[in-house]
Amino acid sequence: MLKLIVVEYNLSLLNTNDLRDSFFQLKKNDPIIGFAFDASSISGHHQPPGDVSLSSDDLLTTRLILGSHFAHHLRLSLEEEMGYTSTVGISTNKLLAKLVGNLNKPKGQTTLLPPYDYQQDAGSRSHPENGKESNVTAFIDSHDIGKIPGIGFKTAHKLRNHVLSRPADFDDGLIWGETKESVSVRDVRLFPGMGSEMLEKILGGPGVERGLAGKVWGLINGVDDTEVQQMRKVPTQISIEDSYIRLDTMAQVIKELRMLGTSLMKRMHTDLLEDDDDLDSGSAKRWVAHPKTLRLSTRPRPPANADGTRTRSFNRISRSAPLPNFVFNLKDSVDSLVEKLIQTTLLPMFRQLHPQQGGWNLSLMNIGVTNLLEAASEESGGKGRDIGKMFKRQEDFLKDWKVEDRDVPPDPVRSPKTYTSEPNSNPPVGIGAEPSAGNDAPDPPMAGSEDVLHPTQNTIDEEADVEWEEDDEQLDGHERCGECGAMMPAFALAAHERFHGLGP
DNA sequence: CGGGGAGAG
DNA sequence: CATTCTCTCCCCG
């Protein structure tokens, strides 16, 4: 019933257009219950290149605080304006943000705390005895190896088999899913001799793998440099499929192709057709993309084993062909177009796929269109102002952020630099050596948490060493505190005001 | 570019 | 909790 939607963002890429697009991606009534947030790139323009002191924990902590406050603002706005609740994880890359975002569901946010690195050389990562353990490692180590995004079923299986000293673990009963003996990231990471090279041997089959070993080694060390992708206006493919007990005759196949084809046409209409209200031509529709290719794929059931056991196979076979142009005709009925498509294209493709007369025993059929060519258009590539409708006057507040780490003038806003939680308080950012108090489920020491959608709780403000540039009184999206006059991004104001209200 | 494998949700 | 469905990315020939 609930649909999980995870939105991941990298602040450096975030502009108002991105935000708007993110929300557009939601269908009406899709509740957001996952929202992973990556604060990796919050940094000032003014960070002197090569200044090592600024890349210290202090700066990292400041970034995470900003990310946390920003996430809070986003979640609050989202709930107020759209009625969606959400969960956020704040860390320095997508992997970590996503994993830590699993902590306080369905409505909360969690920040993965520093230290993120070992004290000494990076090469000691896999040898904790050499230095103070990174919180990243401590955090990620506890996960089951198969739970790491990017490590899927096959890869996890190979890793488990290796770590469990060779003999494949027999998972009786369940063909699928996790094994009883769980192998954690730590088990893999600390396996004698483990490293990229060993992973190469474990994972590098004759088949298909390249760079996988390096990627996996990075993942189990919390390293993930993949970029957040721009959201696309149109999908790269649209497909529809159904599974069957058994499909054996042409009559059955045609009947199902009719169903699938009709669905696909409808999907194309809803997903690729847009109102053309631009000109004085009534309310016409126009295609925003023209798929070029039609694909038909099937999944033949594997022929039954020697010993009679059913081998679960998900192997598909497919054929592609140019998508005939008549499908874009908006005058003819969908039914007639589908019929035409079946006769002219789908059936020939099917015969190519299955030359035999019948008895194919198909367990699945899928048809889809790919190779979507975007149909021209698209205006101002730049920064959309549309988000202003959602977040009123707060547009572009990211544009001129400054994060400085030195020479911060005395600021009544600043709170003590001690990040320890007070009894019964939930800091807006989960900084602290101890788990924050007052949570039902205590957090592991490496993660702070909060339930920031309840501003009635007392909180400790932690603006840290953050200063906002006050160029000329004219900072888009910045607001002035009525109490002390400090300028800050709109999203920080709430926390700031909580600070004023704190105590005598 | 088409056919597939792997993986995310 | 498992299965199904949809979509993406990437490799290889």
Side-chain angles (χ1 to χ4, degrees), chain A residues 3 20 53 62 115 151 174 220 237 271 302 317 345 350 401 436 451 467 473 489:
Chain A
K3 185 158 183 174
R20 184 203 53 193
S53 66
T62 301
I151 299 180
L174 297 183
I220 66 183
Q237 62 115 311
D271 288 8
I317 54 180
T345 319
F350 185 87
W401 283 10
S436 5
D451 183 6
E467 259 299 297
E473 203 53 38

Side-chain angles (χ1 to χ4, degrees), chain A residues 145 155-169 179 181-195 198-199 202-203 216-217 220:
Chain A
I145 189 64
T155 306
H157 191 73
K158 291 179 191 172
L159 292 173
R160 277 193 274 255
N161 283 351
H162 188 84
V163 169
L164 294 178
S165 59
R166 290 315 145 98
D169 50 346
T179 44
E181 325 164 63
S182 82
V183 173
S184 68
V185 169
R186 169 187 270 105
D187 294 333
V188 177
R189 191 174 60 81
L190 296 182
F191 190 86
M194 186 54 69
M198 177 174 282
L199 286 172
I202 301 173
L203 305 174
V216 168
W217 181 238
I220 66 183

Side-chain angles (χ1 to χ4, degrees), chain A residues 220-463:
Chain A
I220 66 183
N221 282 283
V223 175
D224 167 28
D225 58 4
T226 60
E227 306 227 326
V228 175
Q229 301 294 106
Q230 277 288 339
M231 211 206 91
R232 276 180 291 242
K233 188 166 73 251
V234 297
T236 61
Q237 62 115 311
I238 299 174
S239 71
I240 177 104
E241 70 189 27
D242 208 343
S243 53
Y244 314 96
I245 305 297
R246 167 183 270 259
L247 237 47
D248 267 327
T249 71
M250 214 26 120
Q252 294 173 312
V253 165
I254 290 176
K255 174 158 169 275
E256 296 309 327
L257 284 179
R258 199 135 46 207
M259 302 289 302
L260 294 174
T262 305
S263 298
L264 183 61
M265 286 296 292
K266 287 181 175 163
R267 282 272 268 114
M268 287 173 60
H269 284 179
T270 65
D271 288 8
L272 303 181
L273 231 34
E274 135 187 307
D275 288 318
D276 190 8
D277 46 30
D278 253 0
L279 298 175
D280 34 36
S281 58
S283 58
K285 299 277 195 175
R286 59 180 277 267
W287 295 94
V288 296
H290 284 88
K292 225 185 158 48
T293 309
L294 179 66
R295 188 197 56 227
L296 167 68
S297 43
T298 64
R299 188 176 66 197
R301 210 178 303 276
N305 249 326
D307 52 1
T309 58
R310 63 292 178 69
T311 314
R312 287 270 233 154
S313 129
F314 301 87
N315 295 341
R316 296 167 178 218
I317 54 180
S318 69
R319 288 298 177 267
S320 304
L323 179 67
N325 277 322
F326 63 75
V327 300
F328 300 117
N329 186 332
L330 295 174
K331 311 238 163 86
D332 297 354
S333 76
V334 167
D335 282 353
S336 69
L337 292 177
V338 168
E339 221 50 53
K340 207 155 133 191
L341 189 63
I342 290 175
Q343 294 306 324
T344 66
T345 319
L346 255 12
L347 279 186
M349 290 166 73
F350 185 87
R351 283 190 278 265
Q352 213 194 332
L353 216 42
H354 300 284
Q356 317 85 26
Q357 279 307 303
W360 316 287
N361 193 1
L362 305 182
S363 60
L364 175 144
M365 277 209 302
N366 169 303
I367 64 178
V369 291
T370 62
N371 264 325
L372 275 62
L373 298 188
E374 295 215 13
S377 89
E378 280 5 277
E379 57 234 62
S380 59
K383 28 199 69 220
R385 301 274 137 158
D386 308 40
I387 199 66
K389 286 167 189 152
M390 231 178 301
F391 297 109
K392 310 280 193 258
R393 314 155 285 164
Q394 300 153 7
E395 67 209 20
D396 280 358
F397 47 74
L398 289 171
K399 211 169 47 186
D400 298 307
W401 283 10
K402 300 270 168 88
V403 175
E404 296 176 4
D405 205 36
R406 294 285 178 276
D407 302 317
V408 179
D411 181 356
V413 171
R414 283 179 58 193
S415 61
K417 253 203 116 167
T418 55
Y419 294 124
T420 48
S421 305
E422 298 211 328
N424 280 333
S425 77
N426 280 333
V429 186
I431 304 295
E434 304 99 46
S436 5
N439 278 324
D440 289 346
D443 297 303
M446 69 285 294
S449 77
E450 56 184 324
D451 183 6
V452 281
L453 290 185
H454 293 98
T456 53
Q457 291 170 311
N458 284 338
T459 55
I460 301 175
D461 187 273
E462 290 159 354
E463 295 301 308

